Amino acid sequence: PPKIIMKDYVDLGKKQAKLYNDALNGILNDIDKIDSIPTMLACMSRLRQITETAELLSSTITESSKIDRLKEIIGDLDKKEKVVIFTWFSASADIIKRELEIDEPNSCAIVTGKTKNSAEEIERFKTDPSCRYFIATIKSAGVGLTLTEAHTMVMLSLPWTATDFEQATSRIHRISMDAPANIYVLLARNTIDERVYDIVSKKKALSDCLVDNKLSIKELTKLLAEG
C-alpha cells in the first residue's frame, strides 16, 4: 500500500505569531553577532519550537495551532484507531501527552530521551486497545521500530535531514500492511517550517550540508528570511 504524505498547513494564533515574529526579528537584527553555525542552528530551533507550541519558550503563552490541528485530525478518525505522533522536541512530547489525556486519560504511550521504560511503552501501544497514541521524538523512535498497529502518523515538527524524515515516516509503512499509511506533516504557514520541509523532502544534499555545518551564516540567514 502507498505511503501518503500530506502537507497540512496551520495558521499561528495571534499571540503565537507575535512571539514568532519577535523572535525572528531579534535574530535578524543581531545576525552580525552570530559567529558560528551551531549558534545559528540553535536560533532556528527556537523558531521551530515556537511554531510547534509557544509553551516551549513562554511561561505565559500556551497557544499551539499544531496541537489544536492534531486534535482535529484525531477527532475525525475512528475511536479505536491508533495514531503515531512525532515531534523533534522532548518537552513538546510531554505537552502533547498532557493535552490528549485531558479528554482520554491514560491513552498515550511516550518515548523520548528521558523515557526509562521505552520497551514497556512500546508494548503497551502495540497491545493495549485503550492506548491509542504513541508520542515520540524522532531521535528516540524514528528508526528501528515497526508501529503498523497505526495507519496514521502526525508529525508536528521535522528532523533536519531527508534520511531521518524518510526513516520516521516509514515506521507505520510496511509491505505487509493492508491499508495506506497516512502521514500528516503539520506546517505553520509563512514560517521556517515551510523551508525545512522543502529541504528534507526535496533537497537531500542541502539537508546533509545543514547537519554537517557546511552552510554559511549567509545561507542560513536566507532560510530564516524566506521562512
Side-chain angles (χ1 to χ4, degrees):
K3 177 168 64 174
I4 304 171
I5 297 177
M6 296 167 280
K7 293 189 291 184
D8 196 312
Y9 289 95
V10 303
D11 293 308
L12 297 181
K14 184 176 180 180
K15 293 180 180 179
Q16 192 178 6
K18 184 179 187 306
L19 187 65
Y20 179 88
N21 289 326
D22 287 348
L24 175 60
N25 290 333
I27 293 168
L28 294 176
N29 288 337
D30 292 337
I31 202 72
D32 292 339
K33 301 176 184 177
I34 298 175
D35 58 2
S36 72
I37 302 302
T39 300
M40 190 64 163
L41 289 175
C43 292
M44 294 170 71
S45 289
R46 287 202 296 274
L47 295 177
R48 279 158 41 87
Q49 287 176 312
I50 295 170
T51 69
E52 184 147 332
T53 170
E55 192 173 346
L56 289 177
L57 287 185
S58 173
S59 60
T60 58
I61 303 171
T62 59
E63 275 187 335
S64 175
S65 297
K66 289 187 180 181
I67 293 178
D68 290 344
R69 177 58 183 146
L70 169 65
K71 291 180 178 179
E72 290 177 353
I73 292 169
I74 289 170
D76 289 337
L77 299 175
D78 184 277
K79 296 298 183 183
K80 295 181 180 179
E81 186 169 344
K82 290 177 179 278
V83 181
V84 172
I85 302 163
F86 270 130
T87 175
W88 189 249
F89 308 105
S90 293
S92 182
D94 294 329
I95 293 169
I96 295 165
K97 181 177 185 292
R98 182 196 71 203
E99 291 300 307
L100 294 184
E101 290 193 338
I102 291 173
D103 296 322
E104 298 180 69
N106 302 314
S107 60
C108 299
I110 186 168
V111 174
T112 71
K114 300 182 296 182
T115 306
K116 297 180 179 179
N117 57 340
S118 296
E120 292 179 17
E121 292 291 288
I122 294 165
E123 183 65 16
R124 189 164 72 89
F125 175 73
K126 287 176 168 290
T127 61
D128 183 350
S130 68
C131 183
R132 288 188 63 198
Y133 311 116
F134 182 81
I135 305 167
T137 56
I138 295 169
K139 284 186 176 181
S140 297
V143 297
L145 291 181
T146 299
L147 301 169
T148 49
E149 291 76 16
H151 292 137
T152 300
M153 176 185 293
V154 183
M155 301 187 76
L156 276 77
S157 47
L158 294 164
W160 289 109
T161 72
T163 299
D164 287 344
F165 179 67
E166 173 64 25
Q167 288 282 353
T169 57
S170 294
R171 294 312 92 213
I172 67 169
H173 185 247
R174 291 291 184 272
I175 293 174
S176 60
M177 292 177 61
D178 58 2
N182 296 309
I183 318 291
Y184 293 85
V185 181
L186 304 191
L187 304 173
R189 202 185 314 271
N190 299 320
T191 72
I192 193 173
D193 280 1
E194 294 177 299
R195 297 293 297 137
V196 174
Y197 179 83
D198 188 46
I199 291 170
V200 301
S201 64
K202 301 175 184 177
K203 300 178 181 178
K204 185 178 186 302
L206 183 57
S207 75
D208 291 342
C209 288
L210 184 65
V211 172
D212 292 337
N213 295 337
K214 294 179 180 178
L215 295 182
S216 67
I217 295 291
K218 182 178 180 180
E219 288 170 314
L220 290 176
T221 302
K222 184 178 179 182
L223 293 181
L224 290 177
E226 291 182 355

